[in-house]
Amino acid sequence: MKAYLAGPDVFRADAAEIAARRKELCATYGVEALHPFDQALDGLAAHDLAGAIFRANIAMMREADVVIAELSPFRSPSADPGTAFELGFAFAAGTPVYGFSAAAEPLFERTVGGVSRDNLEVLPDGRLLHADGLVVEDFGLADNLMLIEAITASGGRFFTSAGGPWAAPGGLDPFEACLAAASKRLAFAAAAEPPTHKKTAGTTHG
Amino acid sequence: MKAYLAGPDVFRADAAEIAARRKELCATYGVEALHPFDQALDGLAAHDLAGAIFRANIAMMREADVVIAELSPFRSPSADPGTAFELGFAFAAGTPVYGFSAAAEPLFERTVGGVSRDNLEVLPDGRLLHADGLVVEDFGLADNLMLIEAITASGGRFFTSAGGPWAAPGGLDPFEACLAAASKRLAFAAAAEPPTHKKTAGTTHG
């Protein structure tokens, strides 16, 4: 089983260590991790690099049985747009998507900060306007509805750090909670498949 | 020809007017606009609404011949994550994607603001660290590479308002520049198709 690890960890200074740690954890669950940070693109000129990274990430996603995406807020109240793109790609490709975040609060609370609902302007159509002049999504979800609903619709799960409605059970690290759920599901799906390979092998050897 | 209009305009107070204006413009190009703001979801309970919007947007994207996505910065230096998701979905579904933005500058400059490159920390692997503790993508692109490279790889175009390297030609509104390019391309593709329908019609009448 192969899992593509999407997320903004590639933008952290210690990206290589985070990737190594997560890949080791995947291995303990019998999962091969495909990680954007692993690409061997050293020889490329700068102007070719973006396209090469794009193609390598797309190829890894096509190879993956599952995508585990970190949706921790990135320079905004929401997930990073590269990860959001990859969630959309995976969902369209029929790949189950799992999500996790370090942020425990729903998107609405993260966006408005300490401002109470009563202090937000209500538009004639009922939507709530933030002080930044933009409407705040108010569905009680952890991030933009397209991201969270795609996880649900694909049969995936979403977990956060402790303290909110989506806290991983037993105080588990939310990435590991995704990994555990995804590996269990895919092992079950593999076991439930008709044993066509075994039959073919039997014919060949018999 | 049908175009799905993705973008953060749904989060603006005047979302309905923006949608109406863009749909009218589409009609002048012979394009039927499919817009997230058009859904008839009035009767739904709040807890069903997010899922219903998700499913309606996915259905509209599947119906669309092209996606035209607004990537204007949304509560961050980047596009809104819902639009990024939809770009990923469309690309995986084989739908050409066009993008536009009100921001003329590349992502790097938008992220670091007025800070010069010399004042950024260079990590041992060459990446540039912003004062926020996160690496800044530095490919000279208008947004996260996954978004921009997907537009290019799908054969689409990206245009911004005046003042930067991707300014729409002739001072055209960047949405209209996308619309013009997309409608031209799809009209050409339709004209280049073998005339199988005409032959069938001829047989029937002859």
Side-chain angles (χ1 to χ4, degrees):
Chain A
M1 175 190 145
K2 292 176 184 176
Y4 179 78
L5 307 188
D9 53 316
V10 294
F11 298 113
R12 291 189 187 122
D14 58 346
E17 291 107 88
I18 300 174
R21 213 160 51 231
R22 288 189 180 158
K23 287 172 71 177
E24 274 174 36
L25 194 61
C26 283
T28 69
Y29 282 83
V31 171
E32 182 187 340
L34 306 174
H35 197 289
F37 210 73
D38 290 339
Q39 301 159 16
L41 305 168
D42 287 348
L44 284 175
H47 66 275
D48 291 332
L49 207 52
I53 294 172
F54 171 78
R55 287 187 295 274
N57 288 353
I58 294 289
M60 282 192 281
M61 281 197 283
R62 288 199 198 279
E63 199 185 332
D65 302 299
V66 63
V67 167
I68 303 180
E70 178 172 354
L71 303 182
S72 297
F74 182 78
R75 289 192 174 120
S76 78
S78 272
D80 96 88
T83 301
F85 174 94
E86 293 179 338
L87 256 180
F89 181 95
F91 182 77
T95 310
V97 281
Y98 288 70
F100 67 101
S101 176
E105 276 187 321
L107 174 65
F108 182 90
E109 281 73 13
R110 284 206 306 279
T111 307
V112 301
V115 180
S116 87
R117 263 160 224 268
D118 297 342
N119 288 323
L120 291 171
E121 186 184 336
V122 184
L123 294 174
D125 58 12
R127 297 180 302 155
L128 295 173
L129 200 64
H130 186 36
D132 65 8
L134 295 164
V135 166
V136 196
E137 240 189 73
D138 188 20
F139 297 112
L141 298 176
D143 207 322
N144 181 290
L145 74 88
M146 296 305 290
L147 280 55
I148 301 300
E149 292 292 334
I151 291 171
T152 308
S154 80
R157 299 291 306 275
F158 175 78
F159 298 111
T160 69
S161 303
W166 306 286
L172 207 63
D173 167 79
F175 169 68
E176 186 165 1
C178 285
L179 182 56
S183 63
K184 202 171 185 177
R185 168 183 173 173
L186 290 175
F188 184 81
E193 272 174 15
T196 44
H197 299 300
K198 283 176 191 165
K199 272 181 193 163
T200 310
T203 310
T204 309
H205 291 289
Chain B
M1 174 189 147
K2 292 176 184 176
Y4 179 77
L5 307 188
D9 53 315
V10 293
F11 298 114
R12 292 191 186 123
D14 56 346
E17 291 106 86
I18 299 173
R21 212 162 48 230
R22 288 190 179 157
K23 288 172 69 178
E24 274 175 37
L25 194 59
C26 284
T28 67
Y29 281 83
V31 171
E32 181 186 343
L34 306 174
H35 196 289
F37 211 74
D38 290 338
Q39 303 160 16
L41 304 167
D42 286 347
L44 284 174
H47 66 276
D48 291 332
L49 205 52
I53 294 172
F54 171 77
R55 288 187 294 275
N57 288 353
I58 295 289
M60 280 192 283
M61 281 196 284
R62 288 199 198 280
E63 199 185 331
D65 302 298
V66 64
V67 168
I68 302 179
E70 177 172 354
L71 303 181
S72 298
F74 181 77
R75 289 192 174 118
S76 78
S78 272
D80 95 272
T83 302
F85 174 95
E86 294 179 340
L87 255 181
F89 182 95
F91 182 77
T95 310
V97 280
Y98 288 69
F100 67 100
S101 176
E105 275 187 321
L107 174 64
F108 183 90
E109 280 72 15
R110 284 206 307 277
T111 306
V112 301
V115 179
S116 88
R117 264 159 223 267
D118 297 342
N119 288 323
L120 291 171
E121 186 184 336
V122 184
L123 294 175
D125 60 11
R127 296 179 303 154
L128 295 173
L129 200 64
H130 186 37
D132 64 8
L134 295 164
V135 166
V136 196
E137 243 188 71
D138 188 20
F139 298 112
L141 297 176
D143 206 323
N144 181 289
L145 73 88
M146 296 304 290
L147 281 55
I148 301 300
E149 292 292 334
I151 292 171
T152 308
S154 80
R157 298 291 306 273
F158 175 78
F159 297 110
T160 70
S161 303
W166 307 286
L172 207 62
D173 167 80
F175 169 69
E176 186 166 358
C178 284
L179 182 57
S183 64
K184 202 171 187 178
R185 169 182 173 173
L186 291 174
F188 184 81
E193 272 173 17
T196 45
H197 299 300
K198 282 178 190 165
K199 272 182 191 165
T200 308
T203 308
T204 307
H205 290 287

